[in-house]
Amino acid sequence: MAVATQSLEELCINSIRFLAIDAVEKAKSGHPGLPMGAAPMAFVLWDKFMRFNPKNPKWFNRDRFVLSAGHGCMLQYALLHLTGYDSVTIEDIKQFRQWGSKTPGHPENFETEGVEVTTGPLGQGIANAVGLAMAEAHLAAKFNKPDAKIVDHYTYVILGDGCNMEGVSGEACSFAGHLGLGKLIALYDDNHISIDGSTDVAFTEDVSKRFEAYGWHVLHVSDGNKDLNSIEKAIAAAKAVTDKPTMIKVTTLIGYGSPNKQNTAGVHGAALGTDEVKLTRENLGWEYEPFALPQDAVNHMRKAVERGATAEAEWNKTFADYKAKYAQEAAEFERYISGKLPDGWEKVLPTYTPEDKALPSRKHSETCLNKLAQVLPELIGGSADLTHSNLTEIKGFGDFQKGQYQNRNVHFGVREHGMGAICNGMALHGSGLIPYGATFLIFTDYMRAAIRLSALSLAGSIWVMTHDSIGQGEDGPTHQPVETLASLRAIPNLTVIRPADGNESSGAYKVAIEKAKQNDPTLLAFSRQNLPNLPGTSIEGVTKGAYTIVDSQGTPDIILIGTGSEVSLCVTAAEKLTSEGKKVRVVSMPCWELFEAQDAAYKESVLPKAVTKRVSVEAGVSFGWHKYVGTEGDTVSIDTFGASAPGGVCMEKFGFSVENVLATAKKVLG
Amino acid sequence: MAVATQSLEELCINSIRFLAIDAVEKAKSGHPGLPMGAAPMAFVLWDKFMRFNPKNPKWFNRDRFVLSAGHGCMLQYALLHLTGYDSVTIEDIKQFRQWGSKTPGHPENFETEGVEVTTGPLGQGIANAVGLAMAEAHLAAKFNKPDAKIVDHYTYVILGDGCNMEGVSGEACSFAGHLGLGKLIALYDDNHISIDGSTDVAFTEDVSKRFEAYGWHVLHVSDGNKDLNSIEKAIAAAKAVTDKPTMIKVTTLIGYGSPNKQNTAGVHGAALGTDEVKLTRENLGWEYEPFALPQDAVNHMRKAVERGATAEAEWNKTFADYKAKYAQEAAEFERYISGKLPDGWEKVLPTYTPEDKALPSRKHSETCLNKLAQVLPELIGGSADLTHSNLTEIKGFGDFQKGQYQNRNVHFGVREHGMGAICNGMALHGSGLIPYGATFLIFTDYMRAAIRLSALSLAGSIWVMTHDSIGQGEDGPTHQPVETLASLRAIPNLTVIRPADGNESSGAYKVAIEKAKQNDPTLLAFSRQNLPNLPGTSIEGVTKGAYTIVDSQGTPDIILIGTGSEVSLCVTAAEKLTSEGKKVRVVSMPCWELFEAQDAAYKESVLPKAVTKRVSVEAGVSFGWHKYVGTEGDTVSIDTFGASAPGGVCMEKFGFSVENVLATAKKVLG
């Protein structure tokens, strides 16, 4: 009997393979090839190295595992099931890719306990992993003591050719090399196959040499299908190098074991088919029925439960000792992990009156960030090389650099997409860190996939975006957002806030910090140019999304709705219209999503249905505004690209002037 | 007198420097540092190597020059002015970054003749350049004869640290190395400074080694400030290597010549200031008034006019010989260059009746692409590793690979962003090529910056996007677009078309091809799943953006507006409502932008103001639809992320069913 000849290790590895094969076969959908080829490296990693507690998946000091090649998610579900996580039962695996299952088509941290981040869009996972490793390095530097290491884990990644082709992975890995993140270990499943076929058609670079150029420690396992010993040695060697991240290229055959389909794109995104499954069973000597597992393999892999319990117990003891010696640090650490904010944190947010000096809202953002940094030590982040334009430096907290991981100002370099995915990784480390990433608003286009994933995967990142309109000025249309706010508002579960002045900037940060702790991202859009402080604005108003800041006696004839830098135009226009005998309300609407979340009565109180004459004023496209201005209203907007000229000139030329607001209002009034 | 001691070359180089210094100083805005440091390499390149005709900037066989570090645009304006282009006068330079000027804050091909592509968003230019070089290689392979090379030029790029940090440049350069584009030569201005300061804070990788890993020929000029001889030798050596692209790292000092600011971030994005300009003049021995130029330098650099005229005359002779010998090829070449379509090309587009088999619209897309490929040899493109999911292979036309540049199927690899910028480069080559790039609709997020630039810079790329809704199915929410259509519709000058069936798919391609030749991009969104062919759909209808496909007798009680896969739900719901005595119109609305471009009478004829009861049905967010459904209408939409399940199940569960359309319509009808 063929099975009898299999070693325990082969039984375990084939258990992983056939769970994947059978699940994909049943679903008639999914990617069996990667799990079949990467099963040996995954087995060695999880069996010999990974420290985790299946019965307490969120145990803080676990090693993090990221399957960056997320299409191979059955690999991860098989590992979770075999090592004893309750989140993935055999029934769950039988429901692979079905409605409501815990085993969706790509790994989703918000669906399946034991999955750390959401992968699938290629390259995101490895970049998230850089963020996870940065979070570990930061917390270790901050909390560990010579006699007590309470933060001490590795971040392991399996990535594929697709991940390595994506620019976002290059950005993040270059940065990881710069930072020398020694506890980041990536296993590159070098199988030479992507969906279009052999990587020969598009991807012939020397990946190892590229990673060496990034400053990584690079190893190669030439037979990743059979040579478990070399895999084990390589991971051990990776751990031994503590000042560089390690990339282990593990050469494998995709779909290993399938006699007719291994090493072809045919196993990339499709079930093997009944006949080939049968042949693969024969070829690998696998006599078990679909979804059946050899008890020896299960028994062996379930030892992870005991190992995990022991590891956690040891850590609990370490932490108890730590707490006894370092009560204050321990209390802070416990607060971090709890996800709670310190009492009274929001009191540091400044408020303003119209007498206060006009300032750019990016300057207010700087003030908020710096005040919050004092009371929220978990606030960590920076800019993609625009620190002194975004005004995102938190002064006195040093630069996060190799060997200086306790510091909190991160210089991401000109790597917006990498920054986004790294921030998401830090947020999803589960340690209470509040990461922020900054660039010009227009360059959200470079990092949009990461922003979307923050909203989807419940990563409480804060996106600090400045130069939020054609008021950007001289840099011209390549640097001036016009459609950008609309395109971001369209993303589900992303809160987009564009404050009008100092009070609203403080309100924006109040919302963003609270949302971060609820694992929801917020995107803040600040101006380059000066904005006056307006009457009636408030932190409270921002939390409701839209509110009346200037009102008329009785039902208004018209409502002017503004956001950000254009609210002041509305206020001035309202004064003129009022002086001409009109009843005018001005609504400041810094956030659509928060307004939509209010009850109907509140919404009616701000934008009464009966008042159909409405004008929106926003230095961006009209797209979406018809929901609020209705069929009888109008928009003051820009539905073309901008132009290079001083910001004030741009605003004036494109119609963002009191005169044009007045003219539009009068047209609407009829 | 210091000036007298300057060599002619120094006079020329300093002319470039001071045009930049003075322009930035006058504008009090801009980046003087890069032009000051990169002036020597730019001078050598333009003076000794670049072949171009200032008096006929669009001369086909010119070398292409791309300033990927677009913030240094004054470098390019200075070169254009000094070499005799009429597009940049001294007056234009004095109007640097002002409203309506020809010298905007970043190079814009649509504003300034002599600028090839629009740069500024970092990394785009080098990726565009890969597209330019691919276009040259393709046309050379297609048209050249052993006795007549009518296509034969280099593509030169100057890029900086910022470009090299961006993932998009990594994607494109890896691909360029794969393709062995020997006539692509990039000069890397290695000045060690980005906006945040020294690149030591974020960027310490070995860039040269990385490019070697990509398969590039890599050279280094260690003193780019003074050693003109080495620069010249390096460019000559680059030209001598014909089977690899070359990257020449040229180490320079940013802001060279400024005694207090050179080699600091202070010269990156700000004027030097009056005092420092004075000191720089002294330091470089420059006695000329602002904007004044030494006549010797002008005389020397204007020799480019004569060189250009000679080069063009020689080429004209070559082409005349070619035409005499190869009349048919010459005629085709001339048609390419003219931007004209061949007569009757559109006749190949198929039409369908409701009796024809239901197919996914991506399958119709495949049919259109393959039929068009037969009559439009200028159609060239491919997918970012999803060829057989996107169905974008044009059969019989081979793979575009190293040494096989005459072929037309491009395997971009998993490099969406690089693909986008490369397609834009091919479109902007000015040779009539129609590039297309394909991936899943959701992954437009990865390439959004390039899509935006296609719309801004008038690059007639065609974006072929499939799997256009939650109908994508099992891959789950990471792969299912919901907000994506809205976010793309928000981009000015981008035409987004989502066809409902076979006829509309043909219509979509008719529009896309025509727009491409008008230098406007189009984005097509196709379904994964089968769609029935509907009554009343037509190619003509698509060209109007929205049109009635099912109508009632007399004024309708309600209008159902659908797009793509949801139009059939509207048709079926309309039948049921009609059978219940309601008067129902169904409007298919494949393209908002084309509809908005119609006259008021047409718009009123499709969506009469008097009919306020309207329901939109689209498997995407409601964002934006209120413009068409108004305050009394409603939307059948999905304002959350999707889920992993078979596509039909997703559609049903999220309310894209005839039942839910009916229920919504009845609610609206009251």
Side-chain angles (χ1 to χ4, degrees), chain A residues 10-30:
Chain A
E10 285 172 313
L11 281 179
C12 292
I13 291 166
N14 283 329
S15 294
I16 296 169
R17 287 188 178 126
F18 281 94
L19 280 176
I21 290 168
D22 294 337
V24 172
E25 201 60 26
K26 181 163 192 291
K28 291 286 171 208
S29 172

mmCIF file of all heavy atoms in Angstrom, chain A residues 10-30:
data_model
loop_
_atom_site.group_PDB
_atom_site.id
_atom_site.type_symbol
_atom_site.label_atom_id
_atom_site.label_comp_id
_atom_site.label_asym_id
_atom_site.label_seq_id
_atom_site.Cartn_x
_atom_site.Cartn_y
_atom_site.Cartn_z
ATOM 1 N N GLU A 10 5.621 13.417 4.870
ATOM 2 C CA GLU A 10 4.894 13.359 3.591
ATOM 3 C C GLU A 10 3.391 13.291 3.811
ATOM 4 O O GLU A 10 2.613 13.903 3.067
ATOM 5 C CB GLU A 10 5.355 12.141 2.776
ATOM 6 C CG GLU A 10 6.720 12.321 2.136
ATOM 7 C CD GLU A 10 7.246 11.036 1.507
ATOM 8 O OE1 GLU A 10 7.193 9.976 2.167
ATOM 9 O OE2 GLU A 10 7.707 11.114 0.356
ATOM 10 N N LEU A 11 2.992 12.555 4.829
ATOM 11 C CA LEU A 11 1.551 12.487 5.130
ATOM 12 C C LEU A 11 0.999 13.881 5.440
ATOM 13 O O LEU A 11 -0.086 14.247 4.988
ATOM 14 C CB LEU A 11 1.303 11.572 6.342
ATOM 15 C CG LEU A 11 1.315 10.066 6.111
ATOM 16 C CD1 LEU A 11 1.071 9.350 7.438
ATOM 17 C CD2 LEU A 11 0.248 9.658 5.090
ATOM 18 N N CYS A 12 1.752 14.637 6.212
ATOM 19 C CA CYS A 12 1.297 15.996 6.561
ATOM 20 C C CYS A 12 1.232 16.868 5.315
ATOM 21 O O CYS A 12 0.250 17.588 5.081
ATOM 22 C CB CYS A 12 2.250 16.620 7.579
ATOM 23 S SG CYS A 12 2.214 15.819 9.195
ATOM 24 N N ILE A 13 2.290 16.816 4.525
ATOM 25 C CA ILE A 13 2.358 17.667 3.336
ATOM 26 C C ILE A 13 1.264 17.283 2.343
ATOM 27 O O ILE A 13 0.579 18.147 1.767
ATOM 28 C CB ILE A 13 3.766 17.571 2.699
ATOM 29 C CG1 ILE A 13 4.782 18.253 3.626
ATOM 30 C CG2 ILE A 13 3.789 18.193 1.313
ATOM 31 C CD1 ILE A 13 6.234 17.941 3.297
ATOM 32 N N ASN A 14 1.056 16.008 2.169
ATOM 33 C CA ASN A 14 -0.005 15.589 1.251
ATOM 34 C C ASN A 14 -1.398 15.887 1.810
ATOM 35 O O ASN A 14 -2.346 16.096 1.050
ATOM 36 C CB ASN A 14 0.148 14.111 0.893
ATOM 37 C CG ASN A 14 1.257 13.910 -0.130
ATOM 38 O OD1 ASN A 14 1.502 14.788 -0.961
ATOM 39 N ND2 ASN A 14 1.942 12.766 -0.064
ATOM 40 N N SER A 15 -1.513 15.922 3.128
ATOM 41 C CA SER A 15 -2.801 16.335 3.716
ATOM 42 C C SER A 15 -3.128 17.765 3.297
ATOM 43 O O SER A 15 -4.266 18.091 2.942
ATOM 44 C CB SER A 15 -2.746 16.239 5.243
ATOM 45 O OG SER A 15 -2.615 14.895 5.653
ATOM 46 N N ILE A 16 -2.103 18.623 3.364
ATOM 47 C CA ILE A 16 -2.306 20.012 2.921
ATOM 48 C C ILE A 16 -2.700 20.022 1.447
ATOM 49 O O ILE A 16 -3.690 20.654 1.046
ATOM 50 C CB ILE A 16 -1.012 20.835 3.126
ATOM 51 C CG1 ILE A 16 -0.668 20.940 4.615
ATOM 52 C CG2 ILE A 16 -1.145 22.213 2.489
ATOM 53 C CD1 ILE A 16 0.731 21.499 4.898
ATOM 54 N N ARG A 17 -1.944 19.281 0.650
ATOM 55 C CA ARG A 17 -2.203 19.281 -0.800
ATOM 56 C C ARG A 17 -3.620 18.827 -1.112
ATOM 57 O O ARG A 17 -4.330 19.447 -1.902
ATOM 58 C CB ARG A 17 -1.216 18.349 -1.506
ATOM 59 C CG ARG A 17 0.190 18.886 -1.598
ATOM 60 C CD ARG A 17 1.055 17.991 -2.485
ATOM 61 N NE ARG A 17 2.400 18.554 -2.594
ATOM 62 C CZ ARG A 17 3.520 17.898 -2.328
ATOM 63 N NH1 ARG A 17 3.486 16.636 -1.924
ATOM 64 N NH2 ARG A 17 4.691 18.488 -2.466
ATOM 65 N N PHE A 18 -4.028 17.709 -0.487
ATOM 66 C CA PHE A 18 -5.334 17.162 -0.891
ATOM 67 C C PHE A 18 -6.505 17.923 -0.298
ATOM 68 O O PHE A 18 -7.587 17.949 -0.897
ATOM 69 C CB PHE A 18 -5.384 15.652 -0.631
ATOM 70 C CG PHE A 18 -4.666 14.898 -1.706
ATOM 71 C CD1 PHE A 18 -3.340 14.530 -1.565
ATOM 72 C CD2 PHE A 18 -5.298 14.646 -2.923
ATOM 73 C CE1 PHE A 18 -2.655 13.890 -2.593
ATOM 74 C CE2 PHE A 18 -4.618 13.998 -3.953
ATOM 75 C CZ PHE A 18 -3.290 13.613 -3.792
ATOM 76 N N LEU A 19 -6.297 18.574 0.835
ATOM 77 C CA LEU A 19 -7.370 19.475 1.285
ATOM 78 C C LEU A 19 -7.601 20.552 0.227
ATOM 79 O O LEU A 19 -8.736 20.911 -0.100
ATOM 80 C CB LEU A 19 -7.008 20.115 2.628
ATOM 81 C CG LEU A 19 -7.240 19.246 3.866
ATOM 82 C CD1 LEU A 19 -6.753 19.961 5.120
ATOM 83 C CD2 LEU A 19 -8.728 18.872 4.014
ATOM 84 N N ALA A 20 -6.503 21.059 -0.313
ATOM 85 C CA ALA A 20 -6.627 22.097 -1.351
ATOM 86 C C ALA A 20 -7.234 21.518 -2.629
ATOM 87 O O ALA A 20 -8.171 22.089 -3.210
ATOM 88 C CB ALA A 20 -5.259 22.707 -1.638
ATOM 89 N N ILE A 21 -6.731 20.377 -3.032
ATOM 90 C CA ILE A 21 -7.229 19.768 -4.271
ATOM 91 C C ILE A 21 -8.727 19.475 -4.159
ATOM 92 O O ILE A 21 -9.519 19.806 -5.051
ATOM 93 C CB ILE A 21 -6.447 18.468 -4.570
ATOM 94 C CG1 ILE A 21 -5.006 18.805 -4.972
ATOM 95 C CG2 ILE A 21 -7.146 17.641 -5.659
ATOM 96 C CD1 ILE A 21 -4.074 17.587 -5.017
ATOM 97 N N ASP A 22 -9.109 18.885 -3.027
ATOM 98 C CA ASP A 22 -10.511 18.482 -2.869
ATOM 99 C C ASP A 22 -11.436 19.687 -2.731
ATOM 100 O O ASP A 22 -12.551 19.689 -3.255
ATOM 101 C CB ASP A 22 -10.656 17.553 -1.658
ATOM 102 C CG ASP A 22 -9.932 16.223 -1.868
ATOM 103 O OD1 ASP A 22 -9.705 15.850 -3.047
ATOM 104 O OD2 ASP A 22 -9.586 15.571 -0.872
ATOM 105 N N ALA A 23 -10.969 20.702 -2.006
ATOM 106 C CA ALA A 23 -11.813 21.892 -1.826
ATOM 107 C C ALA A 23 -12.035 22.596 -3.159
ATOM 108 O O ALA A 23 -13.155 22.997 -3.494
ATOM 109 C CB ALA A 23 -11.172 22.849 -0.819
ATOM 110 N N VAL A 24 -10.972 22.724 -3.925
ATOM 111 C CA VAL A 24 -11.096 23.394 -5.229
ATOM 112 C C VAL A 24 -11.970 22.551 -6.157
ATOM 113 O O VAL A 24 -12.801 23.081 -6.903
ATOM 114 C CB VAL A 24 -9.696 23.645 -5.838
ATOM 115 C CG1 VAL A 24 -9.818 24.155 -7.275
ATOM 116 C CG2 VAL A 24 -8.908 24.631 -4.986
ATOM 117 N N GLU A 25 -11.792 21.249 -6.061
ATOM 118 C CA GLU A 25 -12.572 20.360 -6.921
ATOM 119 C C GLU A 25 -14.059 20.467 -6.605
ATOM 120 O O GLU A 25 -14.905 20.543 -7.508
ATOM 121 C CB GLU A 25 -12.099 18.914 -6.715
ATOM 122 C CG GLU A 25 -12.429 17.988 -7.850
ATOM 123 C CD GLU A 25 -11.808 18.411 -9.171
ATOM 124 O OE1 GLU A 25 -10.776 19.097 -9.180
ATOM 125 O OE2 GLU A 25 -12.409 18.079 -10.213
ATOM 126 N N LYS A 26 -14.365 20.503 -5.317
ATOM 127 C CA LYS A 26 -15.775 20.591 -4.921
ATOM 128 C C LYS A 26 -16.363 21.941 -5.345
ATOM 129 O O LYS A 26 -17.467 22.013 -5.872
ATOM 130 C CB LYS A 26 -15.901 20.414 -3.409
ATOM 131 C CG LYS A 26 -17.341 20.461 -2.892
ATOM 132 C CD LYS A 26 -17.433 19.863 -1.489
ATOM 133 C CE LYS A 26 -18.888 19.641 -1.080
ATOM 134 N NZ LYS A 26 -19.616 20.892 -0.863
ATOM 135 N N ALA A 27 -15.596 23.004 -5.136
ATOM 136 C CA ALA A 27 -16.088 24.337 -5.500
ATOM 137 C C ALA A 27 -16.057 24.547 -7.008
ATOM 138 O O ALA A 27 -16.695 25.459 -7.521
ATOM 139 C CB ALA A 27 -15.239 25.406 -4.812
ATOM 140 N N LYS A 28 -15.293 23.728 -7.702
ATOM 141 C CA LYS A 28 -15.020 23.954 -9.130
ATOM 142 C C LYS A 28 -14.527 25.387 -9.334
ATOM 143 O O LYS A 28 -14.874 26.052 -10.320
ATOM 144 C CB LYS A 28 -16.267 23.688 -9.994
ATOM 145 C CG LYS A 28 -16.669 22.216 -10.069
ATOM 146 C CD LYS A 28 -15.712 21.426 -10.955
ATOM 147 C CE LYS A 28 -15.960 19.913 -10.880
ATOM 148 N NZ LYS A 28 -14.734 19.159 -11.159
ATOM 149 N N SER A 29 -13.729 25.834 -8.411
ATOM 150 C CA SER A 29 -13.238 27.211 -8.457
ATOM 151 C C SER A 29 -12.087 27.330 -7.474
ATOM 152 O O SER A 29 -12.149 26.783 -6.371
ATOM 153 C CB SER A 29 -14.368 28.168 -8.067
ATOM 154 O OG SER A 29 -13.878 29.479 -7.924
ATOM 155 N N GLY A 30 -11.052 28.045 -7.872
ATOM 156 C CA GLY A 30 -9.935 28.266 -6.965
ATOM 157 C C GLY A 30 -8.612 27.850 -7.575
ATOM 158 O O GLY A 30 -8.541 27.466 -8.744
#
